[in-house]
Amino acid sequence: MSIEETAMELLAVKSEIARLQEEAEALTDALKGAMVEAGREELAGDGWSASWKNVKQTRFDAAAFRRENPTLAAQYMKQTTLTRFLIG
């Protein structure tokens, strides 16, 4: 397979992934709608189960910390290098 064919195949696969992701989101929304309509946080069928619940989390607000404590925050910052691959 040539580089051109490989690139085109990759673009086609990425396009299919995006389409499938959109389809998965629509199906998820349909299940969530059914759960809301039924007034249930959990549903189950033959070989599947779904739950949709509120979960509380505590997260560190790094932006607020940097804003309120810029000197201290700067002491803990480190620079990293990433390698990014883009195709389009």
Side-chain angles (χ1 to χ4, degrees), residues 29-61:
D29 289 345
L31 279 173
K32 287 178 181 178
M35 294 168 92
V36 168
E37 190 174 304
R40 299 185 51 191
E41 290 184 338
E42 296 181 14
L43 287 177
D46 187 24
W48 66 273
S49 65
S51 66
W52 190 30
K53 301 176 183 180
N54 291 327
V55 177
K56 291 188 179 191
Q57 289 185 331
T58 302
R59 295 184 182 214
F60 181 72
D61 188 345

mmCIF file of all heavy atoms in Angstrom, residues 29-61:
data_model
loop_
_atom_site.group_PDB
_atom_site.id
_atom_site.type_symbol
_atom_site.label_atom_id
_atom_site.label_comp_id
_atom_site.label_asym_id
_atom_site.label_seq_id
_atom_site.Cartn_x
_atom_site.Cartn_y
_atom_site.Cartn_z
ATOM 1 N N ASP A 29 -28.468 8.995 23.955
ATOM 2 C CA ASP A 29 -29.533 9.960 24.263
ATOM 3 C C ASP A 29 -30.902 9.290 24.277
ATOM 4 O O ASP A 29 -31.754 9.618 25.107
ATOM 5 C CB ASP A 29 -29.514 11.121 23.267
ATOM 6 C CG ASP A 29 -28.320 12.042 23.456
ATOM 7 O OD1 ASP A 29 -27.667 11.966 24.523
ATOM 8 O OD2 ASP A 29 -28.032 12.833 22.536
ATOM 9 N N ALA A 30 -31.123 8.340 23.377
ATOM 10 C CA ALA A 30 -32.403 7.624 23.343
ATOM 11 C C ALA A 30 -32.591 6.808 24.624
ATOM 12 O O ALA A 30 -33.682 6.793 25.206
ATOM 13 C CB ALA A 30 -32.480 6.724 22.111
ATOM 14 N N LEU A 31 -31.528 6.123 25.067
ATOM 15 C CA LEU A 31 -31.628 5.356 26.312
ATOM 16 C C LEU A 31 -31.844 6.275 27.505
ATOM 17 O O LEU A 31 -32.663 5.985 28.386
ATOM 18 C CB LEU A 31 -30.369 4.517 26.524
ATOM 19 C CG LEU A 31 -30.308 3.204 25.753
ATOM 20 C CD1 LEU A 31 -28.942 2.557 25.920
ATOM 21 C CD2 LEU A 31 -31.392 2.251 26.231
ATOM 22 N N LYS A 32 -31.123 7.385 27.565
ATOM 23 C CA LYS A 32 -31.309 8.335 28.660
ATOM 24 C C LYS A 32 -32.737 8.871 28.667
ATOM 25 O O LYS A 32 -33.348 9.008 29.728
ATOM 26 C CB LYS A 32 -30.325 9.500 28.534
ATOM 27 C CG LYS A 32 -28.908 9.142 28.874
ATOM 28 C CD LYS A 32 -28.009 10.361 28.665
ATOM 29 C CE LYS A 32 -26.571 10.097 28.968
ATOM 30 N NZ LYS A 32 -25.728 11.290 28.696
ATOM 31 N N GLY A 33 -33.278 9.155 27.492
ATOM 32 C CA GLY A 33 -34.662 9.632 27.392
ATOM 33 C C GLY A 33 -35.645 8.603 27.915
ATOM 34 O O GLY A 33 -36.601 8.936 28.615
ATOM 35 N N ALA A 34 -35.410 7.334 27.585
ATOM 36 C CA ALA A 34 -36.275 6.264 28.078
ATOM 37 C C ALA A 34 -36.188 6.155 29.592
ATOM 38 O O ALA A 34 -37.190 5.909 30.272
ATOM 39 C CB ALA A 34 -35.888 4.934 27.425
ATOM 40 N N MET A 35 -35.002 6.360 30.141
ATOM 41 C CA MET A 35 -34.813 6.289 31.583
ATOM 42 C C MET A 35 -35.536 7.438 32.283
ATOM 43 O O MET A 35 -36.184 7.241 33.309
ATOM 44 C CB MET A 35 -33.324 6.289 31.932
ATOM 45 C CG MET A 35 -32.616 5.040 31.434
ATOM 46 S SD MET A 35 -30.830 5.135 31.517
ATOM 47 C CE MET A 35 -30.582 4.414 33.133
ATOM 48 N N VAL A 36 -35.438 8.634 31.716
ATOM 49 C CA VAL A 36 -36.135 9.793 32.285
ATOM 50 C C VAL A 36 -37.643 9.560 32.222
ATOM 51 O O VAL A 36 -38.360 9.780 33.198
ATOM 52 C CB VAL A 36 -35.748 11.095 31.549
ATOM 53 C CG1 VAL A 36 -36.666 12.236 31.931
ATOM 54 C CG2 VAL A 36 -34.298 11.463 31.843
ATOM 55 N N GLU A 37 -38.107 9.106 31.072
ATOM 56 C CA GLU A 37 -39.538 8.854 30.885
ATOM 57 C C GLU A 37 -40.048 7.804 31.873
ATOM 58 O O GLU A 37 -41.159 7.928 32.405
ATOM 59 C CB GLU A 37 -39.793 8.385 29.452
ATOM 60 C CG GLU A 37 -41.269 8.327 29.090
ATOM 61 C CD GLU A 37 -41.449 7.999 27.627
ATOM 62 O OE1 GLU A 37 -40.895 8.742 26.788
ATOM 63 O OE2 GLU A 37 -42.137 7.003 27.332
ATOM 64 N N ALA A 38 -39.230 6.790 32.146
ATOM 65 C CA ALA A 38 -39.627 5.726 33.072
ATOM 66 C C ALA A 38 -39.356 6.116 34.524
ATOM 67 O O ALA A 38 -39.769 5.399 35.441
ATOM 68 C CB ALA A 38 -38.884 4.435 32.739
ATOM 69 N N GLY A 39 -38.664 7.248 34.732
ATOM 70 C CA GLY A 39 -38.343 7.675 36.082
ATOM 71 C C GLY A 39 -37.378 6.732 36.783
ATOM 72 O O GLY A 39 -37.473 6.520 37.987
ATOM 73 N N ARG A 40 -36.439 6.175 36.019
ATOM 74 C CA ARG A 40 -35.505 5.186 36.572
ATOM 75 C C ARG A 40 -34.067 5.592 36.319
ATOM 76 O O ARG A 40 -33.749 6.190 35.294
ATOM 77 C CB ARG A 40 -35.776 3.822 35.943
ATOM 78 C CG ARG A 40 -37.202 3.363 36.246
ATOM 79 C CD ARG A 40 -37.537 2.002 35.783
ATOM 80 N NE ARG A 40 -36.546 1.017 36.226
ATOM 81 C CZ ARG A 40 -36.539 -0.214 35.750
ATOM 82 N NH1 ARG A 40 -37.428 -0.589 34.844
ATOM 83 N NH2 ARG A 40 -35.637 -1.077 36.159
ATOM 84 N N GLU A 41 -33.200 5.220 37.259
ATOM 85 C CA GLU A 41 -31.770 5.456 37.107
ATOM 86 C C GLU A 41 -31.068 4.250 36.502
ATOM 87 O O GLU A 41 -29.921 4.342 36.108
ATOM 88 C CB GLU A 41 -31.130 5.772 38.467
ATOM 89 C CG GLU A 41 -31.526 7.109 39.039
ATOM 90 C CD GLU A 41 -30.795 7.408 40.341
ATOM 91 O OE1 GLU A 41 -30.323 6.448 41.001
ATOM 92 O OE2 GLU A 41 -30.708 8.581 40.690
ATOM 93 N N GLU A 42 -31.763 3.117 36.451
ATOM 94 C CA GLU A 42 -31.178 1.903 35.907
ATOM 95 C C GLU A 42 -32.192 1.191 35.022
ATOM 96 O O GLU A 42 -33.380 1.171 35.320
ATOM 97 C CB GLU A 42 -30.732 0.963 37.032
ATOM 98 C CG GLU A 42 -29.633 1.539 37.889
ATOM 99 C CD GLU A 42 -29.184 0.594 38.992
ATOM 100 O OE1 GLU A 42 -29.537 -0.607 38.938
ATOM 101 O OE2 GLU A 42 -28.469 1.055 39.900
ATOM 102 N N LEU A 43 -31.701 0.639 33.944
ATOM 103 C CA LEU A 43 -32.502 -0.199 33.059
ATOM 104 C C LEU A 43 -31.667 -1.424 32.713
ATOM 105 O O LEU A 43 -30.439 -1.358 32.674
ATOM 106 C CB LEU A 43 -32.861 0.523 31.753
ATOM 107 C CG LEU A 43 -33.897 1.630 31.796
ATOM 108 C CD1 LEU A 43 -34.043 2.243 30.402
ATOM 109 C CD2 LEU A 43 -35.240 1.133 32.285
ATOM 110 N N ALA A 44 -32.320 -2.539 32.449
ATOM 111 C CA ALA A 44 -31.587 -3.746 32.071
ATOM 112 C C ALA A 44 -32.428 -4.549 31.091
ATOM 113 O O ALA A 44 -33.654 -4.471 31.093
ATOM 114 C CB ALA A 44 -31.257 -4.589 33.298
ATOM 115 N N GLY A 45 -31.743 -5.296 30.266
ATOM 116 C CA GLY A 45 -32.394 -6.175 29.304
ATOM 117 C C GLY A 45 -31.600 -7.461 29.199
ATOM 118 O O GLY A 45 -30.754 -7.755 30.041
ATOM 119 N N ASP A 46 -31.849 -8.192 28.164
ATOM 120 C CA ASP A 46 -31.169 -9.460 27.954
ATOM 121 C C ASP A 46 -29.722 -9.210 27.536
ATOM 122 O O ASP A 46 -29.450 -8.867 26.390
ATOM 123 C CB ASP A 46 -31.914 -10.276 26.887
ATOM 124 C CG ASP A 46 -31.369 -11.682 26.732
ATOM 125 O OD1 ASP A 46 -30.754 -12.190 27.690
ATOM 126 O OD2 ASP A 46 -31.555 -12.263 25.653
ATOM 127 N N GLY A 47 -28.793 -9.345 28.459
ATOM 128 C CA GLY A 47 -27.384 -9.168 28.157
ATOM 129 C C GLY A 47 -26.872 -7.742 28.241
ATOM 130 O O GLY A 47 -25.751 -7.462 27.830
ATOM 131 N N TRP A 48 -27.656 -6.812 28.781
ATOM 132 C CA TRP A 48 -27.193 -5.434 28.905
ATOM 133 C C TRP A 48 -27.808 -4.789 30.135
ATOM 134 O O TRP A 48 -28.856 -5.210 30.626
ATOM 135 C CB TRP A 48 -27.516 -4.605 27.664
ATOM 136 C CG TRP A 48 -28.990 -4.406 27.451
ATOM 137 C CD1 TRP A 48 -29.837 -5.245 26.781
ATOM 138 C CD2 TRP A 48 -29.788 -3.337 27.934
ATOM 139 N NE1 TRP A 48 -31.105 -4.755 26.821
ATOM 140 C CE2 TRP A 48 -31.117 -3.572 27.523
ATOM 141 C CE3 TRP A 48 -29.544 -2.194 28.671
ATOM 142 C CZ2 TRP A 48 -32.168 -2.712 27.812
ATOM 143 C CZ3 TRP A 48 -30.596 -1.337 28.971
ATOM 144 C CH2 TRP A 48 -31.892 -1.600 28.527
ATOM 145 N N SER A 49 -27.142 -3.777 30.626
ATOM 146 C CA SER A 49 -27.688 -2.941 31.694
ATOM 147 C C SER A 49 -27.141 -1.535 31.520
ATOM 148 O O SER A 49 -26.055 -1.343 30.970
ATOM 149 C CB SER A 49 -27.325 -3.493 33.079
ATOM 150 O OG SER A 49 -25.939 -3.433 33.284
ATOM 151 N N ALA A 50 -27.896 -0.563 31.951
ATOM 152 C CA ALA A 50 -27.476 0.835 31.848
ATOM 153 C C ALA A 50 -27.866 1.545 33.135
ATOM 154 O O ALA A 50 -28.917 1.268 33.707
ATOM 155 C CB ALA A 50 -28.154 1.503 30.650
ATOM 156 N N SER A 51 -26.996 2.454 33.570
ATOM 157 C CA SER A 51 -27.324 3.288 34.718
ATOM 158 C C SER A 51 -26.945 4.721 34.394
ATOM 159 O O SER A 51 -26.008 4.976 33.635
ATOM 160 C CB SER A 51 -26.604 2.804 35.982
ATOM 161 O OG SER A 51 -25.216 2.957 35.858
ATOM 162 N N TRP A 52 -27.694 5.648 34.953
ATOM 163 C CA TRP A 52 -27.460 7.062 34.724
ATOM 164 C C TRP A 52 -27.732 7.765 36.036
ATOM 165 O O TRP A 52 -28.871 7.984 36.416
ATOM 166 C CB TRP A 52 -28.367 7.568 33.609
ATOM 167 C CG TRP A 52 -28.060 8.948 33.120
ATOM 168 C CD1 TRP A 52 -26.851 9.571 33.099
ATOM 169 C CD2 TRP A 52 -28.977 9.872 32.560
ATOM 170 N NE1 TRP A 52 -26.956 10.821 32.557
ATOM 171 C CE2 TRP A 52 -28.265 11.027 32.211
ATOM 172 C CE3 TRP A 52 -30.340 9.839 32.304
ATOM 173 C CZ2 TRP A 52 -28.861 12.135 31.633
ATOM 174 C CZ3 TRP A 52 -30.934 10.948 31.723
ATOM 175 C CH2 TRP A 52 -30.205 12.077 31.386
ATOM 176 N N LYS A 53 -26.658 8.074 36.758
ATOM 177 C CA LYS A 53 -26.784 8.621 38.100
ATOM 178 C C LYS A 53 -25.886 9.833 38.262
ATOM 179 O O LYS A 53 -24.851 9.938 37.618
ATOM 180 C CB LYS A 53 -26.361 7.575 39.144
ATOM 181 C CG LYS A 53 -27.163 6.306 39.102
ATOM 182 C CD LYS A 53 -26.613 5.311 40.105
ATOM 183 C CE LYS A 53 -27.382 4.010 40.019
ATOM 184 N NZ LYS A 53 -26.898 3.019 40.970
ATOM 185 N N ASN A 54 -26.276 10.721 39.170
ATOM 186 C CA ASN A 54 -25.414 11.830 39.546
ATOM 187 C C ASN A 54 -24.310 11.296 40.447
ATOM 188 O O ASN A 54 -24.561 10.489 41.338
ATOM 189 C CB ASN A 54 -26.198 12.903 40.301
ATOM 190 C CG ASN A 54 -27.170 13.625 39.412
ATOM 191 O OD1 ASN A 54 -26.910 13.823 38.230
ATOM 192 N ND2 ASN A 54 -28.302 14.026 39.952
ATOM 193 N N VAL A 55 -23.093 11.733 40.184
ATOM 194 C CA VAL A 55 -21.943 11.333 40.976
ATOM 195 C C VAL A 55 -21.217 12.607 41.396
ATOM 196 O O VAL A 55 -20.911 13.452 40.548
ATOM 197 C CB VAL A 55 -20.984 10.427 40.158
ATOM 198 C CG1 VAL A 55 -19.752 10.079 40.964
ATOM 199 C CG2 VAL A 55 -21.703 9.183 39.676
ATOM 200 N N LYS A 56 -20.957 12.764 42.681
ATOM 201 C CA LYS A 56 -20.249 13.948 43.157
ATOM 202 C C LYS A 56 -18.753 13.703 43.099
ATOM 203 O O LYS A 56 -18.268 12.625 43.420
ATOM 204 C CB LYS A 56 -20.658 14.277 44.588
ATOM 205 C CG LYS A 56 -22.077 14.771 44.667
ATOM 206 C CD LYS A 56 -22.407 15.269 46.049
ATOM 207 C CE LYS A 56 -23.843 15.769 46.030
ATOM 208 N NZ LYS A 56 -24.177 16.490 47.232
ATOM 209 N N GLN A 57 -18.021 14.725 42.661
ATOM 210 C CA GLN A 57 -16.572 14.660 42.576
ATOM 211 C C GLN A 57 -15.996 15.947 43.144
ATOM 212 O O GLN A 57 -16.633 17.002 43.095
ATOM 213 C CB GLN A 57 -16.090 14.542 41.132
ATOM 214 C CG GLN A 57 -16.361 13.219 40.483
ATOM 215 C CD GLN A 57 -15.735 13.158 39.098
ATOM 216 O OE1 GLN A 57 -15.584 14.171 38.420
ATOM 217 N NE2 GLN A 57 -15.356 11.973 38.674
ATOM 218 N N THR A 58 -14.808 15.853 43.646
ATOM 219 C CA THR A 58 -14.065 17.029 44.090
ATOM 220 C C THR A 58 -12.820 17.109 43.223
ATOM 221 O O THR A 58 -12.070 16.139 43.116
ATOM 222 C CB THR A 58 -13.681 16.901 45.572
ATOM 223 O OG1 THR A 58 -14.870 16.742 46.338
ATOM 224 C CG2 THR A 58 -12.939 18.132 46.045
ATOM 225 N N ARG A 59 -12.638 18.266 42.605
ATOM 226 C CA ARG A 59 -11.482 18.451 41.722
ATOM 227 C C ARG A 59 -10.708 19.695 42.129
ATOM 228 O O ARG A 59 -11.278 20.645 42.640
ATOM 229 C CB ARG A 59 -11.929 18.601 40.271
ATOM 230 C CG ARG A 59 -12.567 17.347 39.743
ATOM 231 C CD ARG A 59 -12.908 17.503 38.293
ATOM 232 N NE ARG A 59 -13.565 16.302 37.822
ATOM 233 C CZ ARG A 59 -13.426 15.823 36.613
ATOM 234 N NH1 ARG A 59 -12.672 16.441 35.741
ATOM 235 N NH2 ARG A 59 -14.062 14.724 36.260
ATOM 236 N N PHE A 60 -9.429 19.647 41.871
ATOM 237 C CA PHE A 60 -8.566 20.786 42.156
ATOM 238 C C PHE A 60 -8.742 21.824 41.056
ATOM 239 O O PHE A 60 -8.607 21.525 39.869
ATOM 240 C CB PHE A 60 -7.109 20.324 42.228
ATOM 241 C CG PHE A 60 -6.152 21.429 42.550
ATOM 242 C CD1 PHE A 60 -6.114 21.978 43.822
ATOM 243 C CD2 PHE A 60 -5.287 21.920 41.592
ATOM 244 C CE1 PHE A 60 -5.229 22.989 44.126
ATOM 245 C CE2 PHE A 60 -4.404 22.932 41.887
ATOM 246 C CZ PHE A 60 -4.375 23.469 43.156
ATOM 247 N N ASP A 61 -9.028 23.070 41.431
ATOM 248 C CA ASP A 61 -9.210 24.152 40.473
ATOM 249 C C ASP A 61 -7.861 24.823 40.230
ATOM 250 O O ASP A 61 -7.501 25.808 40.888
ATOM 251 C CB ASP A 61 -10.237 25.154 41.010
ATOM 252 C CG ASP A 61 -10.616 26.206 39.990
ATOM 253 O OD1 ASP A 61 -9.906 26.367 38.973
ATOM 254 O OD2 ASP A 61 -11.639 26.886 40.214
#
